Amino acid sequence: MSVLALLGGIYFIIAGIIGKGKAFTSKMGTPLVGKEFKAVRYTYIAVGIALLLVAAVSAVQLFE
């Protein structure tokens, strides 16, 4: 569990920083701009940080 959360957290943070992927395009396939792009970027980074916290807590409980 901790390994999957760690990998997922790293992926979400990298995807949020780079700004590429399916989540950064609209339904029509055009790239997002402005507030929408920033909202998706911040959401990806926030989810990545949350997953890293889950990985840390899970690792502590595993090795306790």
Side-chain angles (χ1 to χ4, degrees), residues 13-50:
I13 290 174
I14 290 173
I17 291 171
I18 293 173
K20 298 209 184 245
K22 189 170 176 84
F24 291 95
T25 59
S26 68
K27 289 182 182 179
M28 300 292 288
T30 59
L32 295 177
V33 292
K35 292 190 326 184
E36 296 162 340
F37 181 82
K38 287 182 182 178
V40 172
R41 172 174 275 176
Y42 293 147
T43 303
Y44 261 59
I45 292 173
V47 169
I49 291 170

